[in-house]
PDB file of all heavy atoms in Angstrom:
ATOM      1  N   LEU A 319      35.210 -37.650 -69.874  1.00  0.00           N
ATOM      2  CA  LEU A 319      35.265 -37.881 -71.323  1.00  0.00           C
ATOM      3  C   LEU A 319      36.695 -37.823 -71.819  1.00  0.00           C
ATOM      4  O   LEU A 319      37.120 -38.669 -72.618  1.00  0.00           O
ATOM      5  CB  LEU A 319      34.413 -36.847 -72.045  1.00  0.00           C
ATOM      6  CG  LEU A 319      34.490 -36.878 -73.582  1.00  0.00           C
ATOM      7  CD1 LEU A 319      34.077 -38.241 -74.125  1.00  0.00           C
ATOM      8  CD2 LEU A 319      33.630 -35.771 -74.188  1.00  0.00           C
ATOM      9  N   TRP A 320      37.474 -36.837 -71.386  1.00  0.00           N
ATOM     10  CA  TRP A 320      38.865 -36.741 -71.862  1.00  0.00           C
ATOM     11  C   TRP A 320      39.671 -37.956 -71.404  1.00  0.00           C
ATOM     12  O   TRP A 320      40.535 -38.452 -72.152  1.00  0.00           O
ATOM     13  CB  TRP A 320      39.519 -35.454 -71.366  1.00  0.00           C
ATOM     14  CG  TRP A 320      38.733 -34.203 -71.637  1.00  0.00           C
ATOM     15  CD1 TRP A 320      38.642 -33.111 -70.819  1.00  0.00           C
ATOM     16  CD2 TRP A 320      37.957 -33.859 -72.803  1.00  0.00           C
ATOM     17  NE1 TRP A 320      37.850 -32.135 -71.375  1.00  0.00           N
ATOM     18  CE2 TRP A 320      37.424 -32.572 -72.602  1.00  0.00           C
ATOM     19  CE3 TRP A 320      37.660 -34.533 -73.992  1.00  0.00           C
ATOM     20  CZ2 TRP A 320      36.605 -31.941 -73.542  1.00  0.00           C
ATOM     21  CZ3 TRP A 320      36.838 -33.900 -74.932  1.00  0.00           C
ATOM     22  CH2 TRP A 320      36.333 -32.631 -74.704  1.00  0.00           C
ATOM     23  N   ARG A 321      39.415 -38.452 -70.186  1.00  0.00           N
ATOM     24  CA  ARG A 321      40.098 -39.682 -69.749  1.00  0.00           C
ATOM     25  C   ARG A 321      39.739 -40.843 -70.676  1.00  0.00           C
ATOM     26  O   ARG A 321      40.602 -41.627 -71.089  1.00  0.00           O
ATOM     27  CB  ARG A 321      39.684 -40.044 -68.323  1.00  0.00           C
ATOM     28  CG  ARG A 321      40.239 -39.185 -67.204  1.00  0.00           C
ATOM     29  CD  ARG A 321      40.002 -39.904 -65.894  1.00  0.00           C
ATOM     30  NE  ARG A 321      40.053 -39.028 -64.738  1.00  0.00           N
ATOM     31  CZ  ARG A 321      39.027 -38.767 -63.941  1.00  0.00           C
ATOM     32  NH1 ARG A 321      37.854 -39.306 -64.182  1.00  0.00           N
ATOM     33  NH2 ARG A 321      39.170 -37.980 -62.899  1.00  0.00           N
ATOM     34  N   ALA A 322      38.443 -40.973 -70.969  1.00  0.00           N
ATOM     35  CA  ALA A 322      37.982 -42.085 -71.806  1.00  0.00           C
ATOM     36  C   ALA A 322      38.599 -42.008 -73.200  1.00  0.00           C
ATOM     37  O   ALA A 322      38.983 -43.044 -73.780  1.00  0.00           O
ATOM     38  CB  ALA A 322      36.456 -42.083 -71.889  1.00  0.00           C
ATOM     39  N   LEU A 323      38.709 -40.808 -73.758  1.00  0.00           N
ATOM     40  CA  LEU A 323      39.308 -40.672 -75.085  1.00  0.00           C
ATOM     41  C   LEU A 323      40.794 -41.021 -75.060  1.00  0.00           C
ATOM     42  O   LEU A 323      41.316 -41.611 -76.011  1.00  0.00           O
ATOM     43  CB  LEU A 323      39.104 -39.249 -75.604  1.00  0.00           C
ATOM     44  CG  LEU A 323      37.669 -38.843 -75.918  1.00  0.00           C
ATOM     45  CD1 LEU A 323      37.620 -37.413 -76.420  1.00  0.00           C
ATOM     46  CD2 LEU A 323      37.028 -39.785 -76.931  1.00  0.00           C
ATOM     47  N   ALA A 324      41.487 -40.653 -73.985  1.00  0.00           N
ATOM     48  CA  ALA A 324      42.901 -41.022 -73.882  1.00  0.00           C
ATOM     49  C   ALA A 324      43.052 -42.540 -73.877  1.00  0.00           C
ATOM     50  O   ALA A 324      43.994 -43.083 -74.480  1.00  0.00           O
ATOM     51  CB  ALA A 324      43.509 -40.409 -72.618  1.00  0.00           C
ATOM     52  N   ARG A 325      42.138 -43.237 -73.222  1.00  0.00           N
ATOM     53  CA  ARG A 325      42.204 -44.707 -73.193  1.00  0.00           C
ATOM     54  C   ARG A 325      41.915 -45.313 -74.561  1.00  0.00           C
ATOM     55  O   ARG A 325      42.275 -46.464 -74.822  1.00  0.00           O
ATOM     56  CB  ARG A 325      41.216 -45.253 -72.158  1.00  0.00           C
ATOM     57  CG  ARG A 325      41.542 -44.891 -70.734  1.00  0.00           C
ATOM     58  CD  ARG A 325      40.721 -45.691 -69.741  1.00  0.00           C
ATOM     59  NE  ARG A 325      39.299 -45.409 -69.776  1.00  0.00           N
ATOM     60  CZ  ARG A 325      38.684 -44.486 -69.033  1.00  0.00           C
ATOM     61  NH1 ARG A 325      39.401 -43.728 -68.213  1.00  0.00           N
ATOM     62  NH2 ARG A 325      37.386 -44.303 -69.111  1.00  0.00           N
ATOM     63  N   ARG A 326      41.260 -44.563 -75.441  1.00  0.00           N
ATOM     64  CA  ARG A 326      40.912 -45.081 -76.768  1.00  0.00           C
ATOM     65  C   ARG A 326      41.991 -44.797 -77.814  1.00  0.00           C
ATOM     66  O   ARG A 326      41.829 -45.188 -78.962  1.00  0.00           O
ATOM     67  CB  ARG A 326      39.597 -44.442 -77.239  1.00  0.00           C
ATOM     68  CG  ARG A 326      38.396 -44.676 -76.333  1.00  0.00           C
ATOM     69  CD  ARG A 326      37.953 -46.119 -76.282  1.00  0.00           C
ATOM     70  NE  ARG A 326      36.714 -46.279 -75.539  1.00  0.00           N
ATOM     71  CZ  ARG A 326      35.515 -46.474 -76.095  1.00  0.00           C
ATOM     72  NH1 ARG A 326      35.402 -46.536 -77.404  1.00  0.00           N
ATOM     73  NH2 ARG A 326      34.447 -46.626 -75.337  1.00  0.00           N
ATOM     74  N   CYS A 327      43.048 -44.088 -77.450  1.00  0.00           N
ATOM     75  CA  CYS A 327      44.132 -43.815 -78.406  1.00  0.00           C
ATOM     76  C   CYS A 327      45.054 -45.023 -78.462  1.00  0.00           C
ATOM     77  O   CYS A 327      46.157 -45.025 -77.905  1.00  0.00           O
ATOM     78  CB  CYS A 327      44.878 -42.543 -78.013  1.00  0.00           C
ATOM     79  SG  CYS A 327      43.879 -41.045 -78.148  1.00  0.00           S
ATOM     80  N   VAL A 328      44.598 -46.056 -79.126  1.00  0.00           N
ATOM     81  CA  VAL A 328      45.250 -47.366 -79.095  1.00  0.00           C
ATOM     82  C   VAL A 328      46.197 -47.532 -80.272  1.00  0.00           C
ATOM     83  O   VAL A 328      46.122 -46.818 -81.273  1.00  0.00           O
ATOM     84  CB  VAL A 328      44.178 -48.486 -79.103  1.00  0.00           C
ATOM     85  CG1 VAL A 328      43.315 -48.404 -77.868  1.00  0.00           C
ATOM     86  CG2 VAL A 328      43.321 -48.392 -80.359  1.00  0.00           C
ATOM     87  N   GLY A 329      47.084 -48.505 -80.134  1.00  0.00           N
ATOM     88  CA  GLY A 329      47.969 -48.892 -81.226  1.00  0.00           C
ATOM     89  C   GLY A 329      48.740 -47.725 -81.790  1.00  0.00           C
ATOM     90  O   GLY A 329      49.348 -46.935 -81.052  1.00  0.00           O
ATOM     91  N   PRO A 330      48.733 -47.559 -83.122  1.00  0.00           N
ATOM     92  CA  PRO A 330      49.525 -46.489 -83.752  1.00  0.00           C
ATOM     93  C   PRO A 330      48.951 -45.096 -83.515  1.00  0.00           C
ATOM     94  O   PRO A 330      49.541 -44.119 -83.960  1.00  0.00           O
ATOM     95  CB  PRO A 330      49.475 -46.847 -85.244  1.00  0.00           C
ATOM     96  CG  PRO A 330      48.218 -47.619 -85.408  1.00  0.00           C
ATOM     97  CD  PRO A 330      48.048 -48.401 -84.136  1.00  0.00           C
ATOM     98  N   TYR A 331      47.821 -44.997 -82.829  1.00  0.00           N
ATOM     99  CA  TYR A 331      47.213 -43.696 -82.560  1.00  0.00           C
ATOM    100  C   TYR A 331      47.625 -43.153 -81.187  1.00  0.00           C
ATOM    101  O   TYR A 331      46.999 -42.227 -80.673  1.00  0.00           O
ATOM    102  CB  TYR A 331      45.689 -43.791 -82.645  1.00  0.00           C
ATOM    103  CG  TYR A 331      45.191 -44.054 -84.051  1.00  0.00           C
ATOM    104  CD1 TYR A 331      45.010 -45.354 -84.506  1.00  0.00           C
ATOM    105  CD2 TYR A 331      44.936 -43.005 -84.923  1.00  0.00           C
ATOM    106  CE1 TYR A 331      44.575 -45.598 -85.802  1.00  0.00           C
ATOM    107  CE2 TYR A 331      44.497 -43.238 -86.212  1.00  0.00           C
ATOM    108  CZ  TYR A 331      44.312 -44.546 -86.654  1.00  0.00           C
ATOM    109  OH  TYR A 331      43.891 -44.782 -87.938  1.00  0.00           O
ATOM    110  N   GLY A 332      48.670 -43.705 -80.597  1.00  0.00           N
ATOM    111  CA  GLY A 332      49.089 -43.267 -79.272  1.00  0.00           C
ATOM    112  C   GLY A 332      49.422 -41.792 -79.199  1.00  0.00           C
ATOM    113  O   GLY A 332      49.142 -41.123 -78.200  1.00  0.00           O
ATOM    114  N   GLU A 333      50.019 -41.243 -80.266  1.00  0.00           N
ATOM    115  CA  GLU A 333      50.380 -39.833 -80.238  1.00  0.00           C
ATOM    116  C   GLU A 333      49.161 -38.924 -80.205  1.00  0.00           C
ATOM    117  O   GLU A 333      49.228 -37.795 -79.713  1.00  0.00           O
ATOM    118  CB  GLU A 333      51.239 -39.508 -81.456  1.00  0.00           C
ATOM    119  CG  GLU A 333      51.895 -38.146 -81.406  1.00  0.00           C
ATOM    120  CD  GLU A 333      52.788 -37.895 -82.602  1.00  0.00           C
ATOM    121  OE1 GLU A 333      52.244 -37.636 -83.697  1.00  0.00           O
ATOM    122  OE2 GLU A 333      54.017 -37.989 -82.456  1.00  0.00           O
ATOM    123  N   HIS A 334      48.020 -39.418 -80.709  1.00  0.00           N
ATOM    124  CA  HIS A 334      46.799 -38.614 -80.691  1.00  0.00           C
ATOM    125  C   HIS A 334      46.301 -38.365 -79.271  1.00  0.00           C
ATOM    126  O   HIS A 334      45.461 -37.489 -79.054  1.00  0.00           O
ATOM    127  CB  HIS A 334      45.703 -39.326 -81.484  1.00  0.00           C
ATOM    128  CG  HIS A 334      45.907 -39.284 -82.975  1.00  0.00           C
ATOM    129  ND1 HIS A 334      46.982 -39.873 -83.581  1.00  0.00           N
ATOM    130  CD2 HIS A 334      45.175 -38.716 -83.960  1.00  0.00           C
ATOM    131  CE1 HIS A 334      46.909 -39.683 -84.890  1.00  0.00           C
ATOM    132  NE2 HIS A 334      45.827 -38.976 -85.148  1.00  0.00           N
ATOM    133  N   ALA A 335      46.812 -39.128 -78.300  1.00  0.00           N
ATOM    134  CA  ALA A 335      46.370 -38.941 -76.913  1.00  0.00           C
ATOM    135  C   ALA A 335      46.813 -37.613 -76.339  1.00  0.00           C
ATOM    136  O   ALA A 335      46.295 -37.189 -75.303  1.00  0.00           O
ATOM    137  CB  ALA A 335      46.901 -40.083 -76.040  1.00  0.00           C
ATOM    138  N   ALA A 336      47.754 -36.923 -76.977  1.00  0.00           N
ATOM    139  CA  ALA A 336      48.225 -35.652 -76.433  1.00  0.00           C
ATOM    140  C   ALA A 336      47.081 -34.663 -76.259  1.00  0.00           C
ATOM    141  O   ALA A 336      47.041 -33.923 -75.265  1.00  0.00           O
ATOM    142  CB  ALA A 336      49.312 -35.064 -77.340  1.00  0.00           C
TER     143      ALA A 336
END
Side-chain angles (χ1 to χ4, degrees):
L319 174 58
W320 309 144
R321 287 194 200 115
L323 293 180
R325 294 192 294 269
R326 301 293 187 103
C327 294
V328 297
Y331 292 91
E333 191 177 75
H334 287 63

